[in-house]
C-alpha cells in the first residue's frame, strides 16, 4: 500500500513524523508542533530581532498567545496527517491541504532537540490588497479544491535570532517546497510580502525563486503604525522538482 505521508519519515523512538534538511544542515529537522513549543515561541517572538518583522497585533506576545498558535498549528497538522493516513488509494499519492511538519528543531549531541523556529504554508490572504478586492480574492482562492494548480499560497516564517544568517531559512523553504509543497500539495503559485526594511526575508525568498513585483508604501496598519510592504511572487517551473 502507498505511504500517503511520503516523503516524511517517522522517528524510531517516538514515532513522530519528521523531514530532515540536507547537509550541511542535516542536524535540523521539521516536525509537527508540540505543546512545549509555546514557551520557546514566547522567547523567540518577543525578541526585538524578530517581533518588528511579524504582523502581530499586540505589543507583547504572551504565553497564552503562543499556546493558541501551537493549538491552531497542531489541529491543522493533525487534520492533514489523519486524512492522509486514512486514505487508501492504490492509484497514487493524493494532495494535502497543508504541511504537517512546520516546527524547526536543532538536534543536540545528546539526542534531544531544541525548537528554533517555524514555517507555515497556507492559502494566500493578500495582506497587500485592500478590501473589497482582498475579500474577493480570498473567497475565490478558498473555493478551489485541495491540490488545484490555481490556488495561490503564502509562506510565513521566523527563526530564533541565535540562528539568523546561517543559511537556515533559505534551506528550510527550499526543502519544504521541493519535498512537500510542490509534489504533495500541488503548489504552483505563491504570493508573499515582507515589511519594508526586512532585507533578510526578501533575500531568502529571492534565493528560492521569488521575484519582487512591487513595493507599497503605507500598505497596512500594524500596532498603530502604517507599514510598507515588499510583495513577491513565485510561479512553478519544472526545474524546481
Ligand atoms: C528573515 C529570516 C527568516 C531569515 O532567516 P535566515 O536563516 O537568517 O536567512 P538566511 O541565513 O537563509 O539568509 C539568506 C540570505 O539573506 C541574507 N540576510 C539574512 N538576514 C539578513 C539581514 N538581516 N540583512 C541583510 N541580509 C540578510 C543573508 O546574508 C543571505 O544572503 P546571501 O545568501 O546572498 O549571502 C530571519 O532573519 C527571521 O526570522 N527574521 C525575523 C522574522 C521574519 O522576518 N520573518 C519573515 C517575515 S516576512
Amino acid at each position: 500500500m502507498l505511504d500517503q505521508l511520503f516523503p516524511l519519515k517517522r522517528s524510531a523512538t517516538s514515532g513522530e513524523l519528521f523531514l530532515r534538511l540536507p547537509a550541511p544542515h542535516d542536524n535540523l529537522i521539521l516536525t509537527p508542533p508540540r505543546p512545549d513549543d509555546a514557551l520557546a515561541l514566547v522567547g523567540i517572538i518577543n525578541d526585538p530581532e524578530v517581533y518588528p518583522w511579524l504582523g502581530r497585533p499586540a505589543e507583547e506576545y504572551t504565553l497564552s498567545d503562543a499556546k493558541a498558535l501551537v493549538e491552531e498549528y497542531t489541529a491543522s497538522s493533525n487534520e492533514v496527517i489523519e486524512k492522509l493516513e486514512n486514505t487508501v488509494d492504490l492509484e497514487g499519492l493524493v494532495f494535502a491541504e497543508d504541511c504537517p511538519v512546520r516546527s524547526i528543531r536543532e538536534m543536540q549531541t545528546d539526542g534531544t532537540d531544541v525548537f528554533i523556529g517555524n514555517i507555515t504554508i497556507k492559502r494566500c490572504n493578500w495582506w497587500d490588497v485592500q478590501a473589497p478586492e482582498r475579500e474577493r480574492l480570498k473567497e475565490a482562492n478558498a473555493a478551489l479544491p485541495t491540490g488545484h494548480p490555481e490556488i495561490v499560497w503564502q509562506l510565513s516564517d521566523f527563526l530564533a535570532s541565535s540562528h539568523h544568517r546561517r543559511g537556515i531559512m533559505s534551506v528550510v523553504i527550499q526543502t519544504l517546497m521541493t519535498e512537500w509543497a510542490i509534489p504533495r500539495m500541488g503548489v504552483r503559485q505563491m504570493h508573499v510580502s515582507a515589511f519594508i526594511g526586512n532585507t533578510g526575508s526578501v533575500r531568502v525568498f529571492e534565493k528560492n525563486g521569488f521575484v519582487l513585483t512591487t513595493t507599497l508604501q503605507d500598505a497596512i496598519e500594524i500596532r498603530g503604525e502604517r507599514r510598507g510592504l515588499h510583495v513577491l511572487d513565485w510561479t512553478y517551473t519544472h526545474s524546481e522538482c
Side-chain angles (χ1 to χ4, degrees), residues 44 49-55 116 118 155-161 163-173 192-195 197-205 207:
I44 293 172
E49 296 287 323
V50 173
Y51 202 72
W53 305 117
L54 302 179
I116 59 164
N118 182 82
L155 280 179
S156 46
D157 55 23
F158 56 83
L159 194 64
S161 61
H163 289 67
H164 285 182
R165 303 197 77 159
R166 298 189 200 170
I168 292 175
M169 198 54 85
S170 299
V171 175
V172 167
I173 293 180
V192 297
S193 54
F195 290 125
N198 197 347
T199 314
S201 185
V202 171
R203 185 75 194 113
V204 167
F205 284 130
K207 287 185 75 176

Side-chain angles (χ1 to χ4, degrees), residues 37-105:
D37 294 348
L39 199 54
L41 268 173
V42 176
I44 293 172
I45 292 187
N46 278 316
D47 184 332
E49 296 287 323
V50 173
Y51 202 72
W53 305 117
L54 302 179
R56 303 275 159 202
E59 280 306 323
E60 197 194 339
Y61 192 75
T62 65
L63 184 56
S64 94
D65 293 331
K67 283 181 175 168
L69 189 68
V70 171
E71 275 170 26
E72 178 194 322
Y73 285 166
T74 303
S76 188
S77 286
N78 286 347
E79 192 178 327
V80 177
I81 294 166
E82 277 164 32
K83 192 164 176 197
L84 293 178
E85 280 179 339
N86 292 326
T87 298
V88 182
D89 186 323
L90 301 176
E91 298 297 312
L93 297 173
V94 300
F95 284 124
E97 178 62 28
D98 197 347
C99 180
V101 293
R102 64 186 82 213
S103 291
I104 309 165
R105 304 188 195 280

Side-chain angles (χ1 to χ4, degrees), residues 143-196:
L144 297 169
T146 295
H148 196 288
E150 284 171 23
I151 300 172
V152 182
W153 299 88
Q154 67 177 34
L155 280 179
S156 46
D157 55 23
F158 56 83
L159 194 64
S161 61
S162 53
H163 289 67
H164 285 182
R165 303 197 77 159
R166 298 189 200 170
I168 292 175
M169 198 54 85
S170 299
V171 175
V172 167
I173 293 180
Q174 185 194 31
T175 306
L176 179 115
M177 287 173 72
T178 56
E179 298 288 314
W180 189 266
I182 295 170
R184 300 308 325 278
M185 295 173 68
V187 172
R188 296 293 180 267
Q189 302 177 62
M190 306 194 83
H191 182 79
V192 297
S193 54
F195 290 125
I196 289 179

